[in-house]
Amino acid sequence: MKISFVSIEDGITALGFRKMASFARSIHPSTEVCYLPLTNAYNPLRFLFKPGEHDRVYSDADLNTIASHFAKSDVVCFSSMTAYSDLTKDIIQLTKKINPKTYIIWGGIHPIVHPEDAIKFPDAICVGEGETAFKLFLSSFKEEGDYTSTKNFWFNHNGKIIRNDFLPLHTSEEMDQFPFLLYADNELIFKHGKGFIPQNTNDYLSSYGLGNTYMTIWSIGCPYKCSFCANTKFIENDKNYRKLRHPSVDYIIAEVKEVLKKHPHFSSVSFQDDSFMAIPKVTLKEFAEKWKAEIDIPFFVVGVIPSFVKKEKIEILVWGGMKRVRMGIQSGSDQVLEFYDRPNKPGLIPHATSILAEYKEYMIPPDYDLIIDNPVETRGDIADTLNLLYSMKRPFNLNVFALRAIPNTELANDLMQRGVDIEDIKTSYLIAAPTFANCMIYLLTVFRPPKRIFNYLLQYAKPFTEEQTLFPMVFFFSRALWMLKRAYYHVKFLDFSVFPGRVGWLFYHSGISKLFNKQEPPSAWNPQ
């Protein structure tokens, strides 16, 4: 039996997919793993000049080649987010047209958050955690049993939709037994004019967001239910998703060691967990000690929630090798944070950012996520956000995203009830309105003007929904300055891990980038 696993998304990061593909190979070793990378949205030049546009759009000939390839498989398992759901549907339909007998399963974020839409096209969709469910399905499918009763799956069977219940979420002990995330292990990538060819080191190096960085996920789950996040659907399906689960420290250390054997050029590791800082302090101590002793390369923590920023945790992680953090602040307005159902209390964000600012000698300035172009924002909300950015401890970077709604999430439903029209996630969140307020947001990451000038400019900041003069050229230059400032911080700390292509690789092998790693934090921070 030929089984193909297929990732359709921006680039080749695909962390959830890699975990699932690895598990599939553990129960069916000959499983083919393929990547259909659509775009390199974060390429610096594309971000400035053509934000949100694809740099690899598949032609009709490409789609026929892709579908013909998958039509030779007995089972094809697609994984994609909502932003790429239309392309996934096209490929499913083309594959079925060529070979109606190919059994197609669709997993990933889109079938979980919008199952009623996804189930129209494949034979089945996975609406929960995939590992155990796929094992049960495949066993029954091979034995020609009643596979349509498999939990965590919906089936489009003989014109009837079968909606099954959910399996219990995987425990930490079960996760400790899963194989490591699939990485650099006989995978295929589709390239225009070449079809599916073996993936190589250059594909990793040239992928912006990967470059010389290994990305992984250690913990799963989030205690909060922010309305804009797909986690709201996961929690709706099983309230236990709020509880943090993760394999052991030894597991994640062994995973990274295994990857470094394959790609020793890596100069950092990025943890993409939703809520890394919610991991108990005692576990973080064990992690820091073993990481420093056995891995000893910088790591980057993405999943930082302000309410979990505690000085003792940050100190432990910085001592262990944490060189970057990314935290969501989303807005400076209490009203908007309440609209997002975001955990907040007066002074929380300033307190968290001030703690992170204490470690500026040992870390690249922290990245803070901010959501703009929210149709319910008022002038007061805009002013609150700008005032927050003005007053925050420096230095810092911003990741700025225009608000987009993931269909069937609480945010999308809330906006619908309010009668507010907003573009969904299929429209890039990198495309923002060139309003004066948005120009100010980018410029405030570069410099802080005198208070008198700032207050004068503040009166011209309006929500993007109000009629106003737009400033596309000012917006372009403010983003260019913002990007140069980000690059400056990375060069200052001799961190080239995010540079795509051979540039970062050459700097790492020259030994230059390792100089920063010698800037050790005080030994008094040793968790021992």
Side-chain angles (χ1 to χ4, degrees):
M1 175 181 287
K2 182 178 180 181
I3 299 176
S4 296
F5 265 65
V6 189
S7 169
I8 302 177
E9 69 162 47
D10 272 349
I12 59 173
T13 305
L15 300 182
F17 170 80
R18 289 178 181 275
K19 284 181 176 288
M20 191 59 226
S22 180
F23 184 85
R25 278 196 177 168
S26 73
I27 59 175
H28 191 84
S30 62
T31 297
E32 175 186 75
V33 178
C34 305
Y35 296 85
L36 289 171
L38 274 80
T39 183
N40 198 351
Y42 291 96
N43 176 286
L45 294 178
R46 179 163 297 279
F47 181 81
L48 276 179
F49 293 100
K50 296 180 179 179
E53 289 190 20
H54 294 305
D55 65 355
R56 188 181 297 158
V57 179
Y58 297 124
S59 65
D60 289 342
D62 286 334
L63 293 177
N64 281 321
T65 300
I66 291 166
S68 297
H69 178 89
F70 295 138
K72 299 172 185 176
S73 298
D74 299 291
V75 178
V76 181
C77 302
F78 290 94
S79 175
S80 65
M81 300 181 187
T82 300
Y84 317 114
S85 59
D86 287 344
L87 176 60
T88 307
K89 294 169 188 176
D90 290 342
I91 295 173
I92 289 173
Q93 291 177 96
L94 276 172
T95 304
K96 279 290 191 182
K97 184 178 180 181
I98 297 170
N99 183 4
K101 293 183 179 180
T102 296
Y103 198 89
I104 296 180
I105 302 171
W106 189 357
I109 299 296
H110 185 67
I112 295 176
V113 299
H114 208 348
E116 297 289 355
D117 175 69
I119 194 59
K120 299 173 186 176
F121 301 90
D123 297 291
I125 60 173
C126 184
V127 295
E129 291 185 330
E131 289 89 345
T132 300
F134 183 71
K135 184 176 182 179
L136 294 171
F137 163 82
L138 190 60
S139 176
S140 184
F141 186 82
K142 287 180 176 180
E143 296 171 3
E144 299 184 357
D146 182 19
Y147 56 83
T148 62
S149 63
T150 307
K151 291 185 177 182
N152 281 16
F153 273 86
W154 285 16
F155 294 90
N156 189 340
H157 187 68
N158 294 330
K160 179 183 176 182
I161 305 301
I162 301 171
R163 300 170 176 83
N164 294 323
D165 292 332
F166 294 95
L167 291 166
L169 297 176
H170 296 123
T171 65
S172 294
E173 291 74 22
E174 288 173 326
M175 294 166 70
D176 221 35
Q177 302 304 313
F178 289 159
F180 299 143
L181 177 153
L182 188 72
Y183 187 86
D185 188 5
N186 299 316
E187 300 148 88
L188 302 177
I189 186 170
F190 183 85
K191 294 190 176 179
H192 177 70
K194 298 180 180 179
F196 285 98
I197 61 175
Q199 199 173 83
N200 58 38
T201 301
N202 273 335
D203 294 317
Y204 285 95
L205 288 173
S206 62
S207 176
Y208 191 80
L210 284 175
N212 291 281
T213 298
Y214 172 62
M215 290 190 179
T216 188
I217 296 176
W218 181 17
S219 64
I220 296 176
C222 182
Y224 298 117
K225 198 178 179 183
C226 305
S227 63
F228 53 78
C229 183
N231 283 347
T232 59
K233 195 65 180 177
F234 303 163
I235 294 168
E236 180 185 320
N237 293 340
D238 192 326
K239 65 180 185 299
N240 287 320
Y241 194 83
R242 286 178 179 249
K243 299 176 181 177
L244 219 60
R245 298 164 290 134
H246 57 81
S248 65
V249 170
D250 288 337
Y251 178 97
I252 194 65
I253 295 293
E255 177 189 318
V256 175
K257 281 183 176 180
E258 188 68 24
V259 168
L260 288 172
K261 289 179 183 177
K262 297 176 179 179
H263 281 175
H265 62 267
F266 274 138
S267 56
S268 72
V269 174
S270 177
F271 290 97
Q272 301 287 308
D273 309 34
D274 286 329
S275 190
F276 189 98
M277 289 297 173
I279 296 173
K281 185 171 72 172
V282 64
T283 306
L284 293 180
K285 281 185 177 182
E286 180 188 358
F287 168 80
E289 291 166 356
K290 291 183 176 179
W291 186 273
K292 195 173 186 69
E294 302 180 41
I295 305 293
D296 200 27
I297 62 174
F299 63 90
F300 172 28
V301 173
V302 170
V304 180
I305 299 173
S307 55
F308 288 106
V309 175
K310 309 297 180 185
K311 187 171 182 178
E312 57 270 26
K313 284 188 175 183
I314 302 299
E315 206 160 270
I316 288 168
L317 292 172
V318 171
W319 175 86
M322 183 173 72
K323 302 298 185 185
R324 293 175 63 200
V325 296
R326 176 177 166 184
M327 181 175 77
I329 61 176
Q330 317 311 350
S331 174
S333 164
D334 291 340
Q335 177 180 297
V336 172
L337 291 176
E338 183 178 352
F339 168 73
Y340 291 144
D341 200 14
R342 182 82 175 163
N344 183 46
K345 59 183 179 182
L348 174 63
I349 293 174
H351 176 69
T353 56
S354 65
I355 290 176
L356 294 176
E358 292 182 32
Y359 301 91
K360 60 185 179 182
E361 293 181 25
Y362 310 104
M363 291 198 300
I364 294 170
D367 292 312
Y368 299 132
D369 290 355
L370 193 72
I371 299 175
I372 60 175
D373 291 0
N374 182 333
V376 307
E377 282 182 322
T378 65
R379 284 198 184 202
D381 297 325
I382 298 291
D384 286 344
T385 295
L386 292 170
N387 276 310
L388 172 69
L389 297 178
Y390 186 87
S391 63
M392 282 193 326
K393 291 277 185 74
R394 292 169 180 264
F396 62 83
N397 293 313
L398 286 180
N399 297 311
V400 185
F401 305 106
L403 183 64
R404 299 289 182 261
I406 302 174
N408 218 30
T409 57
E410 289 189 6
L411 174 68
N413 295 334
D414 187 359
L415 290 171
M416 188 181 300
Q417 290 175 5
R418 293 170 182 249
V420 175
D421 187 27
I422 186 173
E423 296 191 66
D424 68 24
I425 199 69
K426 293 177 185 176
T427 303
S428 174
Y429 42 67
L430 300 178
I431 302 174
T435 62
F436 188 73
N438 288 344
C439 294
M440 286 185 69
I441 283 171
Y442 280 103
L443 289 172
L444 282 173
T445 65
V446 181
F447 65 92
R448 178 161 46 196
K451 186 68 172 179
R452 182 178 174 184
I453 295 176
F454 171 76
N455 287 336
Y456 173 77
L457 295 174
L458 196 60
Q459 64 184 317
Y460 296 102
K462 304 176 183 178
F464 87 109
T465 51
E466 287 190 20
E467 187 174 341
Q468 59 189 290
T469 302
L470 299 178
F471 301 89
M473 291 305 297
V474 176
F475 188 65
F476 173 85
F477 283 111
S478 63
R479 297 215 303 177
L481 288 173
W482 161 82
M483 188 173 290
L484 287 171
K485 191 66 175 288
R486 289 179 70 96
Y488 162 76
Y489 286 133
H490 281 275
V491 172
K492 177 182 177 181
F493 286 100
L494 302 177
D495 174 69
F496 303 95
S497 61
V498 298
F499 284 49
R502 292 280 173 177
V503 175
W505 182 88
L506 288 170
F507 274 106
Y508 181 76
H509 280 278
S510 71
I512 294 175
S513 63
K514 294 182 180 180
L515 293 176
F516 172 54
N517 298 337
K518 293 181 180 180
Q519 298 181 23
E520 292 285 344
S523 58
W525 294 0
N526 189 326
Q528 293 283 8

